[in-house]
Every structure is written in structure tokens, then in C-alpha cells.
Amino acid sequence: MMYRTPRREKPLALIVDDDLSMRLAMQAALTKAGFDIVLAENGRTGIKMFTSTRPDLVLLDVVMPEVNGFDTCKEIRKQLGGDFVQILMVTGLDDIESTELAFKVGADGFVSKPINWAMLGHRARYMLRAGNAFQELNMSRFRLEKTQKIAKLGNWEIDLLSGDFTCSTQARKLLGLAEEEALVFEQFFMTIGGDEQDAVREKLVKALDKKKPFRVSYKVLHPDGSKRHILNQGEILFNDKQVPILLLGAVQDVTLQKMAEEEIRKLAFYDGLTGLSNRLLFMNRLSQEIVAAQRNKTQFALLYLDLDQFKRINDTFGHYIGDILLKKIAAALQHSIRSTDVASRLASEDPEKMIARLGGDEFTVILSDIGEIEHVAMVARRIVKEVPQRYIIEGHEITVTTSMGISMYPVDGIDGDILLKHADTAMYQAKNSGRNNFQFYRAELNAQAVERFSLERDIGRALEREEFILYYQPKMDVPTRRIVGAEALIRWMHPERGMVPPGIFIPIAEESGQIVAINRWVVETASKQWQTWHDAGLAPGVIAVNLSGYQFAQQKVLETISVALEKSGLDAEFLEIEITENVFMQNLQDAATILQHLKEMGIRVSLDDFGTGYSSFSYLSSFKVDTLKIDRSFVMNCIEQPKNLIIIKAIIAMGHSLGIKIVAEGVETIEQLEIISEYGVDEAQGYYFSRPVPSEEFVDVLKRREL
Ligand code: C2E
Ligand code: CA
Ligand code: CA
């Protein structure tokens, strides 16, 4: 609340005393000191006079009939301006009690009778100065608060010595902090949206560390659920010994600015019609992609689409219809990209970001971090299949197809313009070769894509035509050399190509989703076979099957396994599942849940190809697997490359400390066996004992029991 004493030429003093002679004497003294005077002969009139004149100073006698000086003082304090007026009490008695009481009721000072008249004038002037300063301070505080409110600005500070944290009213409002409660610094961070909290904290700590000013902007969440953009700037103040003592900060609501920026960004970087990135943003993104690919030594693909005969459609149906069609195409494009497993894996953060409309009927897509060319071909195939549709627009039936050219970084160019030009060239090749298809800029990639595509098509038929068979390879207990189980390994007898190794067709099946059916076939066939050998008294131990592919949860792996166990009659304890780390990497939560269920079913889980993946060790503490299989690349070269021995040793030590069984795969020689045996490997598998063999031959292996 703001109050200002009326402006006057001379200060005004109100004298309240029931004794006329005193009143006159006081009047004389204060007039001499430069005051204008009003007089009141008792407390009640005094209060009235106060409200009507708003004096700067009140001289108040304590002992008066009816309303005494103390009560009058109290009452004046309650009036408008009562906080700021200087009140001097005149006590008749020089006793402690009434002086104390005077301060208690809010007097600023007292004089006792007999009064030193010469001093009284000085005293009054002095008090007036203090009163003005007090009022000024109050004014500027009020002004600050008001201007902060207007500017949506607040200030805060932390006493770096005591840790006390204070916030102006407006800062509290902006940060969404409750108005009344006492604050601790931690609350400052609590209001920040979850993902930004750590970054802000880090910046602040760094600023403190480096003793430098800071500037952060972030979103805060208000208790009412609304979000505001806040700019928070601060600086450290030091004492004369250069010790930081205070962190001063200002927060500002920049929501409107942010919104405006966002709007401008949209206009500048996005295509108004389709909402996709425009050419400018795309070129920008392309250069970023090049920098990233260069740094990470990865490759990426640039897809360049052009609708076939769009001009004819535009001419026939008009621009209005053409525009609607483009919008629909953009949506179809987004959908087909999002729905490919590969693409969503590649650009899981934001598939929309990868798609742009360059202008007219030309669209581009960036697929980053490409492992196999086939990933690109798959996405391209999906686009060519899904984007062309029969669109009904305002009663017109319009069919469009699209042609697409693809260039690859770095093989087709290391510069954005070149990549774009080459993709464009390839797009024309696609148009020339009959439209509605895609072409790589590099001819040999086309051949590869065709090859993969034909394999993918053949895999689809292989299951029906019973072209898959399982081979079995025994697992040995190292100390006793006894067979303790086997691994089932798939083989494909292709009618024209002969035997296709799993290394070739499994990755294709994983990408196309055909792996789901293959996994099911493998688990069922292996379980049935093992149970048959069990019944014949042949099968010792556990049969391991390899399960792979993405999205275990969606594959219904658990259901597949239960069905296989049920159909075959195999006991769960004789089944082991071999998985690789990439299963964890897709969806940790899903993988954890599935592993937990497998455990509950009594099925063993083995982590395959250990040591080749990413952060192998970290998974082991959160996922309880039964077995680790040291990848064969370590075992196979362990004699020639001592580095491998160190890795093997480390894996064994770490695995054993977690109570996990260690299996070495790829044991080919007696030397290798001896060395890993010395290191304490539990089980081994490899050509030294037996190659994977078909079931007829495996019976002979089993009959030997020891190898
Ligand atoms: P993997 O699971 O690591 O399988 C072990 C591979 O090592 C097998 O190759 C096996 O033949 C080979 N191997 C075994 N002992 C030795 C040895 O002493 N020296 C050498 N050099 N190699 C040895 P294969 O059968 O070609 O399988 C390759 C990969 O294909 C497997 O690696 C596995 O990832 C996958 N795979 C095989 N069968 C299946 C299956 O039924 N389902 C799934 N999803 N993947 C499978
Ligand atoms: Ca395996
Ligand atoms: Ca393996």
C-alpha cells in the first residue's frame, strides 16, 4: 500500500494536550522550528484532526482525561498515513514504565516534562527527517514492486554465507511459488519442468564455481497447471576480500516473446501448406546431418520424392485441389515413415523432423545413422507402396504415384548440394524407368536392394515350403567334457541358391518382421525335437534357441514359448533362450518385464555374443541372466591376440562375481580349450567338439555323451 504525506511548504505538526498553556508553549517552540501548527485539546479531537490534516508530526501528551495519550497514539497508527507520521509523546513522569508503554503503542520517541523548549524544536526536525526517509524507502519499495509487476520481472537473492533465500512478491508469482511460506533454495528448482531441472542447476553451479554471471531460460509449471517461459539472470556479489557473499538474480516472464519467436520460426522454417520443414530448414538440417555423420563415422540417406504428373493434376483440377492433395500426400508420407519399424528406430526422437517439402510437389526425407543399405530400401519401398493412393477430393477421384531418388552420404557426396543433386538425378532415373519406384544414385546399390528384396520375398515362402531346418551343436561342461546341452541353429535350404547362412537372412527377416514367424517355428521345432530325444533317453540338459528381432513385447515372445512348451510337452527347465544385448536397447522396460516372466516360467536366459555390444556390463546388474556367452571372436583369436585373453578373463571374473555361468563359443582348437579351461570357463561350444549338425547326425553325437 502506498501512502504519501501531502506536499506542503512547511511541515505540519499536530499538538494534542489538554493543558492550554502547554499547547501554547509547544506551539511557540515548533513554530520557531519552522512548523505550521494545528492544535487539539483532547485525544478524540486529536484523532479527528489527524485524519483531516495528515500532519508530519504529532506531539502527544500522555495524561489526558477520557482518551489518554497511549490510546490516542494507537488509534492514530491505525489511520491512513498513520504508519508514517512521527509521533513524539510528552510524558509527565520520567518513569521507565510509561516510556516503555509509549514505544509499545507505536510512538517514535518521547520527551519528559519539564520540557527543554530549545531542544524540542531540534528534536522535532530530526524526527521529521527520519520520517521522510522511512516514507521514501517505503515508496521506493512500493515503486519497485509495481514496476516489477508491470515488467513481469522479479528479483531474488541467496545469501551465500547463510544460505537464506528470498524472493520478491513478483518473483514468487512468476516462479509459481506460494506467497506466504518461507522459502528454501531447493524450491527454486522444483518449479522447473522436469527435463530442464538438471540443466538449470548445472548452469547455476557452474556460474558459482566460475564466479561468473549466468543467464538461463526455461519453462516453469505453475500450481494452476499453466506454463510460463522464464528468463533468469544473475550475478554474484563479493565482499572486499573477494569472497562471494550474495547471489542476486532477476526473473522475467518471456512467454510472449517466446511465442512470437516460435511463430516467426514457423513462418521462416516450415511450409505453410503441409506444416513440414521447408527448404531452408531442410538444408540446415542436411548440413547438421553431415557434420554428425562425419563425426560419428556413420552414413545417412537422402530420399528425394517427386509426385508423378502432378502438373497435370494441377492443370486439370485447379490449384485448390492440388493443394489439398499435397497436404494429404504429406500426411501419408509422415504416416508411412512413422509406421516403418526401421525408420522409427532410426529417428525415434522425431520422425517429422526428417521430412521436408522442398517446394511444389517435391519432398525430401533424411534417414540418419544407416547400418545396412537395406534399411533405406525398406523405407523407400514402404513409401512407394503407401503414399500413392486413390484420393477423393471434393468428389474428384485422383490417383498419384511417386518416384524417388536416393543418394547416400558419404559414398555419393560429402556436400549437401551434391547429395541433393545426385538424389534428384536418381529420381529422374526412377521416372524414366516407369515411375512409381525408387532408384539409388549408385547402380550397385540398386542391385543390392533388388537382391535383398527377392530374399525377403523368398523368406515369406520358405516357412510354408518347409525350407528351414534346425542344426544342433553340443555344449560341453568344461571340467568333465560331458555334453550338457545343445544350441539349435537355423539353416535355410533355398531351392535355387542352396544353403543360405543365417547371417544373411536373419537380419532381413528381423527388418521385415518375418522373424516373428521364424522365432515361433524355431522354438516349437527345437522343443519338440528335444522332447523326442528326451523320451528316447538321449537328451542331456538344456536346449538353447536363439530369439531375435525387435519389439519382443509386440512379438508375444512369452506366448510363443508357452505354446511351444505345451505342444511339445518339454519341461521349461530344459529350455534356454539366447538373446543379444540389442533386445535391451530397444525398450529397457519391456525387456525387463519379459525377462522377469521368463524367470517365473522357469526358463533360462542367456546373453549371447557378449562383449561385442554396447555397455554390456551395465545391463547385467539390472537384468538377471543365467548365462553369458563370450562372443566367438574373442575365443577364436585368443592365442594370437593376448588382448582377447584379458577380455575373456575380465568377463569370467565379472560374470562369476554376479553368479552367472560363463560359456565360451567358437572353441576350435585344443589350445583354446586349455587356456579358457584354465581361466575357469564353465561350458564351451565349438568346432573342436562338433560343428552344428542336422538332427540325424546329432543323435550320434548325443550317443557319445562325451567329446
Ligand atoms: P550365434 O547365436 O552366435 O551362433 C553361433 C554361431 O557360431 C553359429 O553360426 C555357429 O555355427 C558358429 N560356430 C559354432 N562353433 C564355431 C566355431 O568353433 N568356430 C566358428 N568360426 N564358428 C562357430 P551360424 O549357425 O551361422 O549362426 C549365425 C548366427 O545366426 C547366430 O549366431 C545367431 O545369431 C543367428 N541364428 C542362428 N540360428 C538362429 C535362429 O534359429 N534364430 C535366430 N533368431 N537367429 C539364429
Ligand atoms: Ca546363439
Ligand atoms: Ca553367439
Side-chain angles (χ1 to χ4, degrees):
M1 170 69 142
M2 189 180 82
Y3 174 80
R4 207 162 205 184
T5 317
R7 292 209 175 280
R8 305 178 255 258
E9 257 173 47
K10 285 182 177 181
L12 181 67
L14 166 65
I15 295 169
V16 189
D17 199 319
D18 56 329
D19 180 336
L20 176 65
S21 61
M22 280 302 278
R23 283 205 300 275
L24 292 177
M26 286 175 183
Q27 181 176 24
L30 291 188
T31 307
K32 205 169 159 206
F35 284 84
D36 275 338
I37 308 294
V38 278
L39 298 170
E41 69 282 358
N42 61 43
R44 196 160 294 127
T45 336
I47 295 162
K48 256 192 222 134
M49 301 282 277
F50 177 82
T51 52
S52 59
T53 61
R54 300 263 150 66
D56 303 277
L57 179 84
V58 178
L59 211 55
L60 189 55
D61 187 22
V62 168
V63 187
M64 291 186 294
E66 287 180 68
V67 188
N68 69 21
F70 300 128
D71 292 337
T72 309
C73 181
K74 250 197 256 175
E75 205 48 47
I76 287 176
R77 284 291 186 222
K78 286 186 203 150
Q79 306 300 313
L80 175 68
D83 279 342
F84 300 104
V85 68
Q86 293 290 309
I87 301 178
L88 186 60
M89 299 210 82
V90 186
T91 55
L93 355 132
D94 191 7
D95 64 336
I96 303 277
E97 206 178 313
S98 55
T99 9
E100 254 172 26
L101 201 55
F103 283 117
K104 219 181 215 162
V105 297
D108 297 292
F110 68 94
V111 284
S112 36
K113 296 175 186 169
I115 289 170
N116 178 338
W117 295 108
M119 279 305 291
L120 181 67
H122 287 299
R123 183 78 191 277
R125 291 211 69 93
Y126 176 78
M127 283 179 72
L128 194 66
R129 235 175 37 212
N132 283 342
F134 179 53
Q135 215 175 101
E136 257 330 297
L137 183 67
N138 187 274
M139 269 295 295
S140 67
R141 201 178 282 153
F142 183 80
R143 235 183 255 128
L144 182 68
E145 207 167 288
K146 262 284 179 243
T147 38
Q148 286 198 350
K149 193 163 172 192
I150 293 166
K152 295 193 173 166
L153 190 90
N155 65 292
W156 56 269
E157 61 181 73
I158 309 166
D159 183 323
L160 294 174
L161 303 177
S162 69
D164 289 346
F165 174 50
T166 47
C167 254
S168 73
T169 315
Q170 194 54 27
R172 282 179 186 249
K173 260 194 200 130
L174 294 177
L175 294 174
L177 294 168
E179 228 161 277
E180 297 305 329
E181 71 190 65
L183 291 172
V184 286
F185 189 46
E186 192 51 30
Q187 278 165 291
F188 188 83
F189 296 106
M190 303 314 286
T191 59
I192 302 173
D195 46 341
E196 285 179 313
Q197 232 182 67
D198 290 345
V200 174
R201 198 188 294 268
E202 204 171 293
K203 265 207 170 161
L204 235 83
V205 169
K206 205 187 243 168
L208 275 175
D209 243 25
K210 297 226 154 105
K211 303 184 174 163
K212 286 265 166 63
F214 67 89
R215 178 189 169 94
V216 275
S217 99
Y218 50 85
K219 285 189 284 299
V220 295
L221 199 61
H222 282 195
D224 66 1
S226 65
K227 266 192 198 142
R228 310 297 295 175
H229 269 282
I230 292 293
L231 173 67
N232 198 340
Q233 303 177 86
E235 218 174 302
I236 297 163
L237 302 190
F238 302 87
N239 69 7
D240 52 350
K241 297 192 181 68
Q242 287 308 304
V243 176
I245 47 167
L246 203 63
L247 181 59
L248 270 188
V251 285
Q252 196 177 356
D253 185 331
V254 291
T255 310
L256 285 176
Q257 287 97 306
K258 280 273 174 205
M259 274 160 62
E261 272 169 30
E262 186 60 25
E263 204 49 44
I264 290 166
R265 217 172 63 86
K266 266 203 190 130
L267 287 176
F269 292 121
Y270 291 87
D271 170 40
L273 182 65
T274 60
L276 296 176
S277 315
N278 66 11
R279 178 182 282 270
L280 196 62
L281 181 56
F282 168 74
M283 290 311 283
N284 205 316
R285 178 91 216 283
L286 186 57
S287 355
Q288 282 173 15
E289 200 60 47
I290 289 172
V291 172
Q294 208 164 19
R295 189 180 47 229
N296 306 329
K297 305 219 170 356
T298 52
Q299 51 175 352
F300 70 86
L302 171 57
L303 280 52
Y304 195 117
L305 283 85
D306 186 286
L307 300 183
D308 297 324
Q309 299 191 300
F310 180 70
K311 189 174 165 339
R312 192 181 48 83
I313 294 168
N314 240 350
D315 291 347
T316 315
F317 300 103
H319 283 270
Y320 175 66
I321 302 276
D323 280 358
I324 297 178
L325 180 65
L326 285 173
K327 265 203 242 188
K328 291 190 182 256
I329 296 280
L333 189 55
Q334 274 174 324
H335 178 265
S336 74
I337 299 262
R338 219 177 303 139
S339 61
T340 54
D341 205 21
V342 179
S344 59
R345 219 165 65 226
L346 294 177
S348 48
E349 7 57 275
D350 187 3
E352 262 88 72
K353 259 209 254 163
M354 324 183 296
I355 311 174
R357 177 176 173 226
L358 284 206
D361 60 341
E362 293 166 359
F363 298 87
T364 47
V365 177
I366 295 175
L367 297 179
S368 32
D369 198 11
I370 296 294
E372 306 276 332
I373 281 297
E374 179 58 15
H375 286 151
V376 182
M378 273 201 40
V379 178
R381 224 174 273 136
R382 170 101 56 158
I383 292 172
V384 170
K385 200 169 113 203
E386 284 192 359
V387 169
Q389 292 172 18
R390 205 175 314 134
Y391 296 96
I392 313 268
I393 301 171
E394 312 248 306
H396 303 289
E397 196 182 304
I398 304 171
T399 315
V400 274
T401 56
T402 176
S403 298
M404 185 181 345
I406 305 170
S407 61
M408 298 290 303
Y409 172 94
V411 288
D412 295 336
I414 50 167
D415 161 276
D417 290 329
I418 300 279
L419 284 170
L420 204 57
K421 198 174 118 209
H422 286 172
D424 187 48
T425 309
M427 189 268 293
Y428 276 102
Q429 282 161 10
K431 284 212 191 272
N432 288 334
S433 58
R435 301 203 182 102
N436 199 27
N437 69 19
F438 66 91
Q439 289 285 315
F440 282 97
Y441 178 67
R442 263 182 194 233
E444 65 261 34
L445 294 187
N446 287 323
Q448 249 183 58
V450 168
E451 155 90 1
R452 298 279 288 225
F453 186 48
S454 82
L455 273 180
E456 183 183 322
R457 195 194 50 210
D458 293 351
I459 293 170
R461 303 181 193 144
L463 272 172
E464 303 160 27
R465 299 187 182 175
E466 301 187 355
E467 291 167 3
F468 291 125
I469 56 168
L470 285 185
Y471 273 34
Y472 296 87
Q473 185 180 38
K475 283 190 190 171
M476 312 303 300
D477 178 56
V478 170
T480 63
R481 300 275 179 103
R482 295 183 75 88
I483 300 176
V484 287
E487 176 176 4
L489 293 155
I490 197 168
R491 298 290 178 264
W492 180 13
M493 302 301 174
H494 192 283
E496 288 112 41
R497 294 169 192 259
M499 193 169 92
V500 184
I504 299 285
F505 71 87
I506 292 287
I508 301 179
E510 284 174 354
E511 283 150 16
S512 65
Q514 290 160 316
I515 192 69
V516 181
I518 294 180
N519 280 343
R520 193 178 309 134
W521 179 83
V522 170
V523 184
E524 289 192 5
T525 310
S527 305
K528 214 185 290 166
Q529 179 65 79
W530 204 249
Q531 184 59 34
T532 309
W533 283 331
H534 241 286
D535 293 341
L538 281 171
V542 177
I543 180 70
V545 295
N546 294 282
L547 286 189
S548 66
Y550 293 89
Q551 316 290 345
F552 259 32
Q554 280 168 32
Q555 278 197 42
K556 304 214 168 85
V557 162
L558 292 170
E559 207 179 299
T560 302
I561 294 171
S562 317
V563 170
L565 290 178
E566 203 170 303
K567 277 191 181 170
S568 63
L570 186 72
D571 202 302
E573 66 173 303
F574 296 120
L575 184 64
E576 178 160 318
I577 304 299
E578 296 196 1
I579 54 175
T580 55
E581 281 157 318
N582 64 27
V583 168
F584 298 133
M585 286 166 50
Q586 304 147 33
N587 187 332
L588 274 180
Q589 197 45 50
D590 276 0
T593 315
I594 289 172
L595 282 198
Q596 187 56 36
H597 283 301
L598 285 174
K599 277 243 112 97
E600 283 159 13
M601 288 165 71
I603 291 165
R604 293 160 184 279
V605 177
S606 156
L607 197 51
D608 210 349
D609 303 345
F610 192 78
T612 57
Y614 288 73
S615 55
S616 323
F617 290 89
S618 64
Y619 296 120
L620 290 178
S621 40
S622 24
F623 300 104
K624 274 275 154 224
V625 298
D626 302 281
T627 311
L628 277 189
K629 298 188 78 174
I630 304 177
D631 189 67
R632 59 183 181 278
S633 59
F634 297 111
V635 180
M636 276 159 43
N637 305 315
C638 69
I639 307 284
E640 299 80 33
Q641 291 182 11
K643 191 184 85 200
N644 286 345
L645 282 180
I646 298 173
I647 296 173
I648 294 174
K649 220 172 182 171
I651 295 177
I652 295 171
M654 186 262 325
H656 280 170
S657 74
L658 291 169
I660 298 173
K661 191 167 71 186
I662 309 292
V663 178
E665 51 176 28
V667 177
E668 294 183 345
T669 64
I670 178 86
E671 289 84 7
Q672 291 165 354
L673 177 63
E674 272 165 2
I675 214 158
I676 57 159
S677 153
E678 196 181 303
Y679 282 2
V681 161
D682 302 288
E683 291 176 12
Q685 194 185 340
Y687 294 172
Y688 174 70
F689 305 105
S690 165
R691 288 182 174 260
V693 293
S695 50
E696 311 84 71
E697 282 177 52
F698 196 65
V699 173
D700 297 330
V701 174
L702 283 177
K703 281 182 178 154
R704 277 188 282 156
R705 301 246 164 206
E706 280 176 33
L707 293 169

